[in-house]
Amino acid sequence: MRYGWARTAAALALAAALSACGGDPAPGVDPEAAANLRAAGFFMETNAKADGVRTLASGVQYKVVQAGPAGGERPDGNDLVRVDYEGSLTDGTVFDSSFQRGAPAAFTVEDGIAGSLIPGMRDALQHMTVGDEWLVYIPPELGYGDSQVGEIPANSVLVFRLKLLEVAPVPGGARALDVAHG
């Protein structure tokens, strides 16, 4: 089991304490990561009030760009999905794009590509139906948290343009959501 959420929760508590007192980060805390966390909190709070933006229970926010047909299929954690996506930072810097490559990505919702699908993306995908295109706003604790990944700074809000093209249910078994709901 992964406990990265605990580290992120501690970082969020530290950032809240710092913003309340206006002080400098504690020794050993990266000042840039602390500043990014404060900025991320402000962005998510402000974005939640924007027209058309909805918030999932997890804290992931989304805006529907295009809705798929009513009653469309939704993936669960076991399903293989084919998606087009573009990931960027809040300043518009694109860090990955299947649209630019001209080839959609295919992966299971639970594991992603090589087991690297972030929790916020898993959550968003399981709320989409085939044909949906959303702008998804992922808070740091559901993205890469306090880790810098490539050109993505620690504690960044991730913005994905995500289009769910296809769902292929896991072969030979009940869907996880069907089992959970009895």
Side-chain angles (χ1 to χ4, degrees):
M1 197 172 215
R2 295 184 183 148
Y3 295 97
W5 62 269
R7 184 177 59 206
T8 303
L12 285 170
L14 175 62
L18 289 174
S19 65
C21 69
D24 293 326
V29 174
D30 179 10
E32 185 177 338
N36 289 348
L37 190 58
R38 287 190 300 275
F42 178 77
F43 176 89
M44 295 300 290
E45 184 178 317
T46 303
N47 194 57
K49 299 171 188 169
D51 277 347
V53 173
R54 300 175 190 156
T55 304
L56 300 174
S58 65
V60 169
Q61 298 173 358
Y62 69 96
K63 184 173 186 172
V64 176
V65 175
Q66 177 180 336
E73 189 170 17
R74 279 194 176 147
D76 76 1
N78 297 318
D79 294 336
L80 182 68
V81 294
R82 193 166 65 90
V83 300
D84 259 326
Y85 68 92
E86 181 168 270
S88 63
L89 303 175
T90 57
D91 68 1
T93 302
V94 174
F95 55 81
D96 193 11
S97 176
S98 70
F99 290 104
Q100 289 177 0
R101 285 191 298 278
F107 48 83
T108 61
V109 174
E110 184 59 35
D111 295 327
I113 301 168
S116 64
L117 198 62
I118 58 175
M121 184 72 85
R122 281 195 301 266
D123 189 32
L125 281 168
Q126 291 182 75
H127 285 86
M128 296 178 75
T129 59
V130 173
D132 280 353
E133 183 174 350
W134 290 3
L135 287 176
V136 179
Y137 307 91
I138 300 175
E141 64 272 17
L142 296 173
Y144 295 114
D146 61 2
S147 298
Q148 178 169 336
V149 176
E151 60 191 84
I152 303 170
N155 293 323
S156 292
V157 171
L158 305 177
V159 181
F160 283 92
R161 178 176 149 217
L162 186 60
K163 185 166 186 173
L164 182 57
L165 303 171
E166 239 178 314
V167 174
V170 64
R175 294 170 49 91
L177 290 177
D178 293 340
V179 172
H181 293 118

